[in-house]
């Protein structure tokens, strides 16, 4: 009985040692790899509570706005000299189109617009959220890379440069889409998504206060 009792005590000691070892390992895994500690929707950084919603608001509000304008044009030519002659006569009978009837350039219709718009670049947290990676000497914040969030065209700011002939609404809508594509191409050429990182990083560094080295990364 005494020998059996000793074996039971030994077994208990071994089990307690295993539990302690697992707890110790878990502690270090937690500190090395844990991505943010959520407590009542708060992230604890160096004992300082930081609202998750604050981070989201900062990322969503800090955007890069770019005002742009695009010149878009569409032209249709007469198919024959006879059609050009009759078309010119029709324009000469219309007080708004007289100058185009006298041009003799073979253009049946032409519409040239100068359109103004605004491009908005920032982080879309509806598709992907940010992450925290806490290490011994550093805190890493990983956020989605900035992208084009919206393109807003201003119909009131549209200037009609040339309007030769009659144009329907759907044809004007086509030019609006053309202007939109040109503005997006301009934003890409100016590397605006990359430039949008600057205000985001600045805002995060002013908000997140920590004694650790703060590293901000953008996802690829």
């Amino acid at each position: 009985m005494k020998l059996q009792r000793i074996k039971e005590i030994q077994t208990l000691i071994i089990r307690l040692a295993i539990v302690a070892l697992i707890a110790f390992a878990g502690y270090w895994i937690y500190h090395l790899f844990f991505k943010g500690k959520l407590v009542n929707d708060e992230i604890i950084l160096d004992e300082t509570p930081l609202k998750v919603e604050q981070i989201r608001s900062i990322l969503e509000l800090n955007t890069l706005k770019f005002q742009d304008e695009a010149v878009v044009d569409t032209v249709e030519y007469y198919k024959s000299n006879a059609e050009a002659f009759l078309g010119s006569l029709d324009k000469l009978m219309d007080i708004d189109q007289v100058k185009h009837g006298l041009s003799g350039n073979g253009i049946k219709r032409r519409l040239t617009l100068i359109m103004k718009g605004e491009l908005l670049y920032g982080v879309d947290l509806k598709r992907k959220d940010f992450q925290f990676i806490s290490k011994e000497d550093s805190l890493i914040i990983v956020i989605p890379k900035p992208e084009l969030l919206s393109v807003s065209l201003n119909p009131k700011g549209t200037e009609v440069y040339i309007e030769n002939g009659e144009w329907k609404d759907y044809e004007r809508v086509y030019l609006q889409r053309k202007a939109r594509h040109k503005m997006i191409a301009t934003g890409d050429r100016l590397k605006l998504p990359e430039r949008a990182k600057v205000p985001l990083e600045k805002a995060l560094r002013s908000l997140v206060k920590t004694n650790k080295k703060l590293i901000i990364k953008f996802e690829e």
Side-chain angles (χ1 to χ4, degrees):
M1 290 291 293
K2 188 178 292 186
L3 182 61
Q4 183 178 354
R5 182 62 177 169
I6 293 173
K7 287 182 179 180
E8 288 177 352
I9 293 174
Q10 289 176 337
T11 302
L12 179 61
I13 292 172
I14 291 172
R15 287 178 179 175
L16 289 173
I18 292 173
V19 170
L21 183 61
I22 292 173
F24 182 79
Y27 174 83
W28 283 106
I29 291 173
Y30 172 90
H31 281 276
L32 288 174
F33 303 108
F34 183 72
K35 296 183 177 182
K37 179 183 176 184
L38 287 175
V39 179
N40 295 327
D41 201 32
E42 293 181 345
I43 296 175
I44 305 301
L45 303 176
D46 293 340
E47 305 306 324
T48 303
L50 184 64
K51 288 286 186 183
V52 172
E53 218 40 59
Q54 280 184 285
I55 296 289
R56 289 198 180 98
S57 297
I58 285 294
L59 294 177
E60 289 173 349
L61 291 176
N62 279 270
T63 55
L64 177 67
K65 295 180 181 179
F66 178 69
Q67 307 288 336
D68 194 17
E69 68 176 32
V71 179
V72 286
D73 184 70
T74 183
V75 183
E76 181 182 350
Y77 293 91
Y78 290 112
K79 296 178 182 178
S80 65
N81 290 333
E83 185 184 9
F85 177 73
L86 293 174
S88 296
L89 286 179
D90 288 339
K91 289 177 182 177
L92 289 172
M93 300 297 290
D94 185 343
I95 191 171
D96 295 325
Q97 296 292 319
V98 169
K99 61 181 179 181
H100 301 304
L102 295 172
S103 65
N105 55 13
I107 294 177
K108 182 179 180 179
R109 297 191 306 161
R110 180 172 186 175
L111 182 60
T112 305
L113 303 177
I114 302 173
M115 304 199 72
K116 293 178 170 58
E118 181 180 83
L119 286 77
L120 189 66
Y121 294 86
V123 172
D124 184 2
L125 293 178
K126 295 180 180 66
R127 294 195 302 166
K128 214 169 205 181
D129 214 344
F130 59 89
Q131 298 178 354
F132 282 86
I133 303 175
S134 182
K135 297 188 176 181
E136 286 187 18
D137 58 350
S138 63
L139 174 67
I140 304 172
I141 304 178
V142 183
I143 61 176
K145 65 179 180 180
E147 59 184 333
L148 178 64
L149 298 178
S150 66
V151 180
S152 302
L153 298 180
N154 180 11
K156 293 183 179 179
T158 299
E159 179 183 343
V160 179
Y161 186 69
I162 297 175
E163 187 168 8
N164 179 352
E166 296 182 358
W167 296 89
K168 300 192 179 296
D169 289 341
Y170 76 87
E171 293 173 310
R172 296 177 187 274
V173 170
Y174 166 76
L175 284 182
Q176 289 178 0
R177 289 199 298 266
K178 194 173 179 180
R180 186 178 186 277
H181 291 316
K182 288 187 72 172
M183 291 179 185
I184 292 173
T186 299
D188 291 340
R189 187 173 67 253
L190 295 175
K191 301 185 184 304
L192 295 183
E194 188 69 24
R195 289 167 59 182
K197 293 179 179 180
V198 176
L200 287 168
E201 184 170 347
K202 184 178 180 181
L204 281 176
R205 290 190 181 279
S206 65
L207 179 66
V208 179
K209 303 301 182 181
T210 175
N211 294 324
K212 298 180 180 180
K213 180 182 179 182
L214 181 60
I215 300 171
I216 298 173
K217 291 185 176 181
F218 293 90
E219 293 180 344
E220 296 298 327

